[in-house]
Amino acid sequence: MFIYNFIKILSIVIIVLLSVAYFTLAERKIMGTIQRRRGPNVVGFQGLMQPLADGLKLFVKESVLPSNANKVLFVIAPMITFGLSLMGWVVIPLGSGLVLADINVGILYLLGISALGVYGIILSGWSSNSKYAFLGALRSAAQMVSYEVSLGFILVCVVLCAGSFNLISIVLAQQHVWYYLPHFPVFVLFFISALAETNRHPFDLPEAEAELVSGYNVEYSAMGFALFFLGEYANMLLMSALTTILFLGGWLPIIDCFPFNWIPGPLWFGLKICFFVILFVVMRACLPRLRYDQLMNLGWKVFLPFSLGWLLFTASILISFNWLPN
């Protein structure tokens, strides 16, 4: 039993790491196309070996420890960030029955993992003993906490409609209509909040090069930097997967008829994730960075009241028409 579970965990880790590696390649190719320049095209056929070459380069480089840093926390911080980004995939169903841990409180588990992700960033900024890293860590912590509140209210809206915290039950509840149709305003809010939660454009204030040199990871090199990098991209894939499960019917086909119902569920799931991945990249290529006060005002004065109001509206509609699931 232990060996079987270990193989399942290892397979998920390998799939996520390969997805992250080629997500970085896809990002560079798409941005190169948008900006009318060549992306990576030298290492391997059309640059397909570039992610492996980048990983090998970071693996063999020397890790530099700042002389005044708290070395234990400095080393542990990227491990926490990377480990938590992988732990979230434990409850993500890739298809019907294809999930490592089918727990009844999958949504709460993901919220807990997301909240713990702040600790890795705070520890990295504080243990570096650098004011630039510390400012970047404080920015990131405030930003993640601010947008997690809105994300939580939006998740409760979906949970009310599905009548379950289980992710598989939420997908199966969308067999007749995907939740992005009745919940379209908060669907858009959820995706924008996911951008802020993962520190991506136009909300990449923690890594503002012009102001903070690089942000919380400024003192990291080699594998320490690589773990932060992998954790960030794994979180983007995780948020894309969660958006797909909550609003786009997970592995369910677009149209439940031939030839669409012959396409495997995991393939549908992957295609929907790719749609959001491309949106993440397009946002980075097209949008300017917000000011920090604009970022916080948007989170607390726009997203929070709207998501709370939509939750009350959803609950009142379900109660008024007696549509609450049993």
Side-chain angles (χ1 to χ4, degrees):
M1 190 67 180
F2 171 77
I3 296 176
Y4 177 67
N5 289 332
F6 178 77
I7 292 173
K8 288 202 299 185
I9 293 171
L10 187 63
S11 62
I12 289 177
V13 170
I14 292 173
I15 290 172
V16 172
L17 291 180
L18 286 176
S19 301
V20 167
Y22 283 94
F23 178 14
T24 61
L25 178 65
E27 179 179 43
R28 295 167 72 179
K29 288 277 192 181
I30 295 170
M31 290 190 66
T33 303
I34 292 174
Q35 296 167 358
R36 300 187 68 183
R37 59 178 174 82
R38 294 181 184 273
N41 62 351
V42 175
V43 184
F45 176 73
Q46 294 294 318
L48 288 177
M49 301 298 289
Q50 186 67 51
L52 304 181
D54 292 338
L56 178 63
K57 182 195 74 170
L58 290 169
F59 182 76
V60 300
K61 285 183 72 174
E62 178 186 2
S63 293
V64 178
L65 295 177
S67 56
N68 293 324
N70 186 319
K71 293 181 174 54
V72 175
L73 295 180
F74 185 83
V75 172
I76 290 176
M79 298 180 186
I80 293 175
T81 299
F82 178 65
L84 290 172
S85 68
L86 293 180
M87 287 173 63
W89 286 93
V90 169
V91 296
I92 296 295
L94 306 179
S96 181
L98 291 176
V99 59
L100 184 60
D102 184 17
I103 59 178
N104 291 328
V105 288
I107 293 288
L108 297 181
Y109 174 84
L110 287 174
L111 281 174
I113 291 296
S114 175
L116 288 174
V118 177
Y119 286 97
I121 292 173
I122 284 289
L123 286 176
S124 67
W126 181 82
S127 63
S128 297
N129 199 24
S130 165
K131 57 187 175 184
Y132 296 112
F134 189 57
L135 284 172
L138 291 179
R139 276 187 171 191
S140 182
Q143 177 175 323
M144 293 173 73
V145 170
S146 300
Y147 283 85
E148 273 176 10
V149 182
S150 301
L151 283 174
F153 284 130
I154 296 170
L155 288 174
V156 174
C157 293
V158 175
V159 168
L160 279 176
C161 293
S164 174
F165 285 95
N166 182 275
L167 294 174
I168 292 181
S169 299
I170 290 174
V171 172
L172 296 178
Q174 300 177 65
Q175 288 180 333
H176 301 295
V177 58
W178 292 355
Y179 284 155
Y180 84 93
L181 285 173
H183 293 289
F184 185 77
V186 289
F187 166 61
V188 176
L189 254 65
F190 189 89
F191 179 72
I192 297 173
S193 299
L195 291 173
E197 185 73 10
T198 53
N199 299 330
R200 293 289 292 184
H201 271 46
F203 306 106
D204 62 333
L205 275 301
E207 299 177 18
E209 295 89 353
E211 306 155 31
L212 299 173
V213 183
S214 176
Y216 57 87
N217 56 9
V218 65
E219 299 292 346
Y220 284 89
S221 61
M223 281 308 295
F225 174 79
L227 289 176
F228 274 124
F229 189 78
L230 291 171
E232 178 181 334
Y233 278 77
N235 279 330
M236 278 189 274
L237 289 173
L238 179 64
M239 293 305 294
S240 299
L242 185 59
T243 310
T244 299
I245 289 169
L246 296 177
F247 295 101
L248 290 186
W251 63 84
L252 299 178
I254 295 176
I255 302 174
D256 193 15
C257 64
F258 183 83
F260 295 100
N261 54 6
W262 286 90
I263 300 176
L267 182 58
W268 276 122
F269 190 65
L271 291 174
K272 293 173 185 177
I273 290 177
C274 289
F275 169 74
F276 288 108
V277 162
I278 293 172
L279 280 183
F280 269 98
V281 178
V282 170
M283 294 298 128
R284 180 178 179 182
C286 300
L287 297 178
R289 181 181 294 133
L290 272 69
R291 288 201 321 265
Y292 195 71
D293 61 316
Q294 293 172 333
L295 170 85
M296 300 307 286
N297 285 336
L298 183 67
W300 290 106
K301 296 182 179 180
V302 179
F303 281 19
L304 178 59
F306 189 89
S307 58
L308 181 58
W310 191 267
L311 172 60
L312 297 175
F313 172 73
T314 302
S316 62
I317 290 293
L318 293 175
I319 293 173
S320 300
F321 291 93
N322 197 24
W323 287 345
L324 279 172
N326 293 326

